Amino acid sequence: MGKRRRETIMASAQIQLLLLAAVLVIVTMSFLSWQRVQGFQNMSNGLMPRPALKSYLNESTLTRKSFKNDSSWHASGKLSSLSLIDNTHLYKLEETVKVKIVLFDHKKRPKSRGGDMVVVWMKDKKNGAASAGIVKDHDNGTYTGILRTLWTGTAEIRAAVVSSRERIDFTYDMLRKGYQGKSISCTFRSTRTVETTSGYMDINNMKTDNLCNFTSQYHGVPFYCGKPKTPGLRCGDWTQVSSKLSYMTLSSNEQWFSTSPTEYLSEVIKINVISQVEGDTVSASRPCYLQDPRNTWRATPPVGFSYQHTWRPLSCFSNTTTTNSYHHCLANRTLRLYGDSTVRQWFSYLFIKLNLTFRSKPSEIRNNVELMSQKWYEYTAAFNIRHNYTVSWSPHGLPMTFQDANMTDIRPVFVRLEDIPSQSTDILLVNLYSHFELFPLHIYRSRVKRTRRAIEELLIRSPNVMIAIKGPHNFVVEGKFTTTLGGMWGPVYENILKQEFVDLNNRVVYLDFWDMTVALESEDIHPSEQIVKMMLNVFFGHVCKLSK
């Protein structure tokens, strides 16, 4: 009896020890998880900086479906007000200017809640100067715009509602319910026949259960097409994809959505900025290539300003702005540009500026002189024989597509990154943006995740590559939107990029061009040649290690 009692006690003690060990494991894992969150939020260890996330509606708020179909309830730029908070129009250099923005709807009723996407900026035409500010949403229809005086002279302060809360809610709800803003068609081809079916990147949005699942063929990215019905055609006969716009079918009380989303406030505030030195400006003291890349992810507006039509980052300066400095930077390397047509603009500008020669020239290109205004959609490369470098542009893959694109043309960026060999010293620019706008947000986040993993792997096998992520830019869609939603999703995408790349902040540069396009009132999805030049100077300033 005593022996059995001892065995029972020992068994009980073993169980207690096992339970205690399990508790310790859970506590340890919880602590490590908490420590990671704290590092993300507080930057306590200095290795994982907190990204500067933009204030914006989150998905839990959007799923409440709180939009009103009556457009008279939406914010009106003409009836809303803009005023100085401290009521002084004279400032010194490097002071803070605060403005109050009160939104009214189209019947002059004050807005009682926040969520409208408001931007504020100041400009000085005489000095070719402009800068953007930050906007604080008080969630009651009022907003505070905060700007800094970065140059001396006379400036005008303006504000705009890029998109109303109702439009944002409505768009999110439509995408969540399965609206396909941009349809993808799949071509199946045999020696005898051809058939086209509908495709999409989310199985929940497919209108048929008779599907071809091409996720494996498309490198693990979910992609589905309707099965061909023509006898003899099979899923294995898939050869090409195309795309076309699919406008929303709007009911009579939803026609407001076809109007322009951006509302400019009518009121303009004029201020004077003075200094002891005429023409004085804020200036940076160190070159951008010496800046810690983490600072590019956690910078808050304004990240820079224009002066004499030249963009000046606040935290650093670019010393790579001339043709010779570009040649010196790129010598014996390859510059790989991945993205949409706005990145193709970069290729076109560099082709002309650097007097490059085509190595791979698409048939759509008519002549080299007017390259900036021409469109093409396939991999393109050009070279400089004297300095031994190559510049290439590659489309980022679905959902960016075009007429009869083959499987090579639509390869995702992460697949192209996997082709870069070990010990490479290439310079890379990656941009994922406007072609994702008419698709559910989870498709964008998923692609960013996969691209980040490919970059992580590339940095292991080629630690000397230079990589930059081009963030969203602001632009305006006039009237019935065509291929995109304008700047509406820009801050959402920026936040996703900053969240997903938090572990790579010290290895990858973030290029924030939102401020630049807001400040310079850039409305076209394709920025002007002057703005493209500014963007490239910022980019090269970060990735080129040159002497001053």
Side-chain angles (χ1 to χ4, degrees), residues 494-538:
E494 178 177 323
N495 289 350
I496 290 173
L497 287 168
K498 289 184 174 181
Q499 290 162 351
E500 295 300 331
F501 274 86
V502 68
D503 292 324
L504 292 178
N505 281 185
N506 63 329
R507 300 295 306 279
V508 178
V509 171
Y510 181 73
L511 301 174
D512 186 341
F513 293 133
W514 183 265
D515 278 14
M516 181 187 293
T517 47
V518 168
L520 298 175
E521 301 177 353
S522 179
E523 295 192 341
D524 199 307
I525 185 174
H526 297 105
S528 68
E529 185 172 336
Q530 178 67 25
I531 293 178
V532 169
K533 177 183 177 181
M534 291 180 179
M535 291 178 172
L536 279 165
N537 286 343
V538 173

Side-chain angles (χ1 to χ4, degrees), residues 54-165:
K54 280 187 166 57
S55 175
Y56 203 69
L57 293 175
N58 55 43
E59 291 196 46
S60 63
T61 304
L62 291 170
T63 53
R64 295 174 190 169
K65 296 187 292 185
S66 55
F67 56 84
K68 294 179 181 290
N69 279 324
D70 182 355
S71 61
S72 69
W73 290 91
H74 302 181
S76 165
K78 183 178 180 180
L79 299 177
S80 297
S81 67
L82 173 69
S83 60
L84 284 167
I85 290 179
D86 56 12
N87 203 31
T88 179
H89 292 262
L90 185 64
Y91 293 87
K92 294 180 181 179
L93 194 65
E94 292 194 78
E95 287 191 334
T96 298
V97 183
K98 292 185 179 182
V99 296
K100 183 177 182 179
I101 301 163
V102 182
L103 298 186
F104 292 84
D105 66 24
H106 286 265
K107 290 190 175 180
K108 195 57 177 178
R109 294 171 296 210
K111 299 283 287 182
S112 59
R113 64 177 182 181
D116 291 271
M117 187 175 170
V118 181
V119 294
V120 62
W121 68 99
M122 60 192 297
K123 63 179 183 178
D124 175 355
K125 289 185 178 181
K126 180 181 178 181
N127 288 310
S131 67
I134 191 169
V135 175
K136 183 177 181 180
D137 185 348
H138 300 294
D139 203 28
N140 60 2
T142 69
Y143 301 76
T144 298
I146 304 171
L147 305 106
R148 286 179 58 191
T149 54
L150 304 173
W151 67 89
T152 55
T154 301
E156 293 182 348
I157 298 175
R158 298 206 62 188
V161 181
V162 173
S163 185
S164 68
R165 162 72 176 266

Side-chain angles (χ1 to χ4, degrees), residues 1 25 116 130 278 302 351 474 484 537:
M1 189 71 179
V25 169
D116 291 271
E278 185 178 354
F351 183 93
N474 186 42
T484 68
N537 286 343

Side-chain angles (χ1 to χ4, degrees), residues 332-338 379 390 392-394 411-430 451 453-468:
N332 304 310
R333 307 172 84 175
T334 296
L335 169 61
R336 302 174 186 267
L337 306 173
Y338 303 100
Y379 170 82
T390 298
S392 68
W393 170 75
S394 304
R411 287 197 304 163
V413 171
F414 65 81
V415 175
R416 297 181 185 272
L417 293 177
E418 292 167 356
D419 293 339
I420 298 175
S422 298
Q423 305 308 314
S424 170
T425 58
D426 291 352
I427 301 172
L428 282 64
L429 184 284
V430 177
T451 303
R453 290 201 299 272
I455 289 175
E456 287 175 335
E457 294 163 1
L458 174 60
L459 286 169
I460 292 173
R461 67 178 185 273
S462 298
N464 292 321
V465 295
M466 300 294 297
I467 304 173

Side-chain angles (χ1 to χ4, degrees), residues 261-489:
T262 300
E263 293 268 354
Y264 290 94
L265 273 67
S266 301
E267 293 181 326
V268 177
I269 298 172
K270 291 186 177 182
I271 63 170
N272 290 306
V273 182
I274 60 174
S275 173
Q276 293 180 345
V277 180
E278 185 178 354
D280 198 8
T281 67
V282 172
S283 59
S285 60
R286 58 186 290 145
C288 292
Y289 72 83
L290 290 177
Q291 185 183 42
D292 187 334
R294 290 173 288 194
N295 293 336
T296 64
W297 294 90
R298 62 190 179 198
T300 56
V303 298
F305 67 104
S306 169
Y307 190 75
Q308 295 179 349
H309 306 289
T310 300
W311 189 258
R312 302 183 179 186
L314 274 183
S315 59
C316 60
F317 65 85
S318 173
N319 59 355
T320 312
T321 58
T322 66
T323 300
N324 285 337
S325 63
Y326 279 28
H327 287 322
H328 183 76
C329 171
L330 296 174
N332 304 310
R333 307 172 84 175
T334 296
L335 169 61
R336 302 174 186 267
L337 306 173
Y338 303 100
D340 57 23
S341 55
T342 64
V343 178
R344 188 180 65 207
Q345 285 184 279
W346 288 29
F347 175 90
S348 299
Y349 182 90
L350 291 173
F351 183 93
I352 297 169
K353 178 182 178 70
L354 304 178
N355 194 27
L356 302 181
T357 302
F358 275 113
R359 174 171 283 133
S360 174
K361 181 179 180 180
S363 59
E364 295 93 337
I365 296 178
R366 300 182 301 277
N367 61 74
N368 299 350
V369 178
E370 300 175 351
L371 203 59
M372 289 287 289
S373 61
Q374 296 182 61
K375 297 180 180 180
W376 70 93
Y377 304 96
E378 61 193 80
Y379 170 82
T380 312
F383 67 94
N384 180 290
I385 191 169
R386 179 181 178 185
H387 298 280
N388 188 35
Y389 66 80
T390 298
V391 178
S392 68
W393 170 75
S394 304
H396 63 54
L398 295 178
M400 179 185 178
T401 184
F402 35 92
Q403 190 67 31
D404 299 331
N406 60 41
M407 299 304 103
T408 301
D409 294 335
I410 63 170
R411 287 197 304 163
V413 171
F414 65 81
V415 175
R416 297 181 185 272
L417 293 177
E418 292 167 356
D419 293 339
I420 298 175
S422 298
Q423 305 308 314
S424 170
T425 58
D426 291 352
I427 301 172
L428 282 64
L429 184 284
V430 177
N431 174 239
L432 303 171
Y433 184 28
S434 61
H435 283 269
F436 288 86
E437 285 197 327
L438 297 182
F439 292 82
L441 287 174
H442 71 84
I443 291 178
Y444 182 78
R445 184 181 288 275
S446 176
R447 187 65 58 83
V448 171
K449 283 178 179 288
R450 188 63 189 85
T451 303
R452 183 207 67 222
R453 290 201 299 272
I455 289 175
E456 287 175 335
E457 294 163 1
L458 174 60
L459 286 169
I460 292 173
R461 67 178 185 273
S462 298
N464 292 321
V465 295
M466 300 294 297
I467 304 173
I469 302 296
K470 178 177 177 283
H473 63 284
N474 186 42
F475 61 99
V476 175
V477 175
E478 290 294 340
K480 190 174 185 179
F481 68 80
T482 53
T483 56
T484 68
L485 299 172
M488 182 191 298
W489 272 179

